[in-house]
Amino acid sequence: MMIALSVVTYFLATNGKINNFPTYLAALAFIPFIAIRPGYVVSLSRPIIPLIIVFLLYLVLSATWSENTRPILVATYLGYAFLLASFVLGIGVISNQYPDFLKWLMVLTVLSATISCCFSIFLYFWLPDYHPLIEERLYSLGRLRNPVIGALSYGVAATICANLALVHARWMRFLWSACLAILLLGILFTETRSAWVGLIISIPACVMLQREISVRAKYSMLVTFFLILTVTMIATWLMGYWDEVLHRALSFRPEIWLKAVRDTTQENLILGKGIASSSRLLIDGISHHHPHSIYVSTFFYGGLTGALLLVTLISACLKELIKKDFTPLVILALSTLLYAVSTLMIDGNRLLEKIDFHWLVFWLPVALCLVATGEENSDIKL
């Protein structure tokens, strides 16, 4: 219950305290649950769990060589690691014990994201004084603190929504298709390009891997998807929408990545700067908040060791999924993971933090991989 509430309040809560509270309760409940029945964790995917734990503990350890490190700082990141592990492992354990849990978690994720998106679009068009930014981009409701975070979060919900639309009955398919259209529209108005990189990979993947849909129907769906995408891009270009988007060019991404890699290589190539170090990068007099890529960020904080651990974790998830039959659950896990690893190449920061968009965009797909590749997933339906 608290895990599901963590996701719902992420999209709909107005401040961090409301969103953080369910994660604390979920972590507290996780302790006696695992202490009494540790076998529940063993039933999950064994190759992935040790990698998750080692990766998180390494990031915690890196706080010891961060700038201005203090014992309280290390303890804080250890607490973050426990909260995050409780979220990821908790989804796996509860899904195995209560097969309907995962279905309702996915439904609540999509519906809360759609509600957030609807209100955000309403504010965007009908309350022009609402724009908190200089740029007139859609600023999402809830914990989605800026247009980029909103787009990335709506993107993973859109990928889940596409999976639900493909496996449910016709009237439910219409509902999920409507939710998908709203989410894609919201992403469009955020003027964020990185989310589309993931969606162009994840949605076709979940269509093509479906076993119960004919090849002709698959190609028809893909043609429709890309046709709508093309028409939308042309229409918005004619309206002048892309002038501002193209004006931002690559948003200094190559310069940011080069600066982060150069600084880390010069200071501590193997171990990085440490998870608690400042991530601000000064380039040509402009201050950038972070490296804008989970791969570059992990290298920045954890050096080659951290980057290798991250790549190993992702590779293990993909390897375990590919070995399985492509059931709807496996396809859901694979498509969301593909969205995460592709879109977060050009956005994202610390993977160890209090609940934020990384929990939803990266760690939720990892949790789905645990469930899909576990020993007791045969009763879990979408």
Side-chain angles (χ1 to χ4, degrees):
M1 180 64 180
M2 290 300 106
I3 290 175
L5 195 58
S6 300
V7 175
V8 172
T9 53
Y10 169 76
F11 283 108
L12 301 178
T14 57
N15 60 66
K17 290 182 180 179
I18 298 174
N19 191 201
N20 292 334
F21 187 66
T23 66
Y24 301 151
L25 294 181
L28 290 174
F30 188 71
I31 298 172
F33 191 82
I34 297 304
I36 296 171
R37 298 188 177 181
Y40 285 169
V41 176
V42 177
S43 66
L44 301 175
S45 181
R46 295 181 185 179
I48 300 175
I49 291 178
L51 289 172
I52 294 172
I53 295 172
V54 170
F55 179 59
L56 291 178
L57 289 179
Y58 175 74
L59 292 180
V60 172
L61 183 64
S62 73
T64 61
W65 60 79
S66 299
E67 300 170 357
N68 303 316
T69 184
R70 305 183 307 278
I72 188 64
L73 202 58
V74 179
T76 298
Y77 277 97
L78 184 60
Y80 292 164
F82 182 69
L83 289 175
L84 187 48
S86 299
F87 176 78
V88 175
L89 299 180
I91 289 175
V93 169
I94 297 172
S95 297
N96 281 345
Q97 300 307 308
Y98 305 98
D100 286 338
F101 168 78
L102 191 67
K103 176 179 71 176
W104 287 109
L105 178 63
M106 297 299 99
V107 168
L108 288 172
T109 299
V110 172
L111 291 181
S112 56
T114 305
I115 292 170
S116 168
C117 193
C118 285
F119 273 103
S120 302
I121 293 173
F122 171 79
L123 294 171
Y124 178 76
F125 280 104
W126 283 277
L127 292 176
D129 294 336
Y130 169 71
H131 299 298
L133 303 176
I134 297 175
E135 301 171 301
E136 291 192 358
R137 302 166 67 182
L138 185 142
Y139 190 95
S140 302
L141 181 74
R143 290 291 310 283
L144 318 182
R145 295 182 297 272
N146 62 49
V148 175
I149 292 176
L152 296 178
S153 304
Y154 291 153
V156 72
T159 302
I160 295 169
C161 192
N163 279 272
L164 295 177
L166 290 170
V167 300
H168 282 180
R170 288 188 177 181
W171 70 273
M172 287 296 291
R173 183 171 295 177
F174 174 79
L175 170 64
W176 298 129
S177 298
C179 291
L180 179 60
I182 292 169
L183 291 168
L184 294 179
L185 194 62
I187 295 170
L188 183 68
F189 291 135
T190 64
E191 301 181 15
T192 301
R193 293 159 293 184
S194 53
W196 294 106
V197 174
L199 289 170
I200 289 172
I201 295 173
S202 64
I203 291 182
C206 74
V207 171
M208 293 305 296
L209 294 175
Q210 296 290 334
R211 295 186 302 180
E212 297 181 3
I213 299 176
S214 66
V215 175
R216 183 176 180 180
K218 290 178 182 179
Y219 283 113
S220 176
M221 290 177 185
L222 288 180
V223 168
T224 303
F225 172 71
F226 284 108
L227 182 62
I228 293 173
L229 197 61
T230 303
V231 170
T232 302
M233 291 179 66
I234 293 173
T236 51
W237 177 72
L238 293 173
M239 294 165 59
Y241 167 82
W242 286 96
D243 293 346
E244 179 60 31
V245 175
L246 295 176
H247 175 71
R248 298 199 305 271
L250 297 176
S251 300
F252 298 98
R253 292 295 192 272
E255 294 87 348
I256 292 171
W257 297 336
L258 186 60
K259 171 70 172 173
V261 171
R262 185 188 297 120
D263 288 355
T264 307
T265 302
Q266 292 174 351
E267 187 168 327
N268 195 335
L269 174 63
I270 303 301
L271 300 178
K273 289 174 168 285
I275 190 72
S277 296
S278 172
S279 58
R280 285 189 176 275
L281 299 166
L282 189 64
I283 303 173
D284 296 332
I286 302 174
S287 178
H288 300 275
H289 294 292
H290 55 81
H292 290 281
S293 166
I294 61 167
Y295 304 102
V296 178
S297 293
T298 303
F299 175 73
F300 182 81
Y301 299 121
L304 276 179
T305 306
L308 286 173
L309 285 172
L310 174 61
V311 172
T312 303
L313 172 59
I314 293 171
S315 301
C317 290
L318 290 171
K319 179 182 176 182
E320 293 301 310
L321 287 170
I322 292 172
K323 290 195 300 186
K324 295 287 183 178
D325 292 333
F326 286 127
T327 62
L329 177 59
V330 172
I331 295 170
L332 171 66
L334 182 58
S335 58
T336 53
L337 185 63
L338 288 174
Y339 173 81
V341 299
S342 54
T343 199
L344 292 177
M345 282 194 297
I346 48 180
D347 258 311
N349 190 20
R350 293 179 180 88
L351 287 175
L352 178 57
E353 191 58 89
K354 274 188 179 181
I355 184 168
D356 66 353
F357 75 96
H358 296 96
W359 282 41
L360 192 75
V361 179
F362 181 80
W363 290 110
L364 178 59
V366 172
L368 293 175
C369 291
L370 281 179
V371 180
T373 60
E375 298 174 358
E376 300 178 8
N377 63 9
S378 58
D379 295 330
I380 300 174
K381 308 296 181 184
L382 297 179

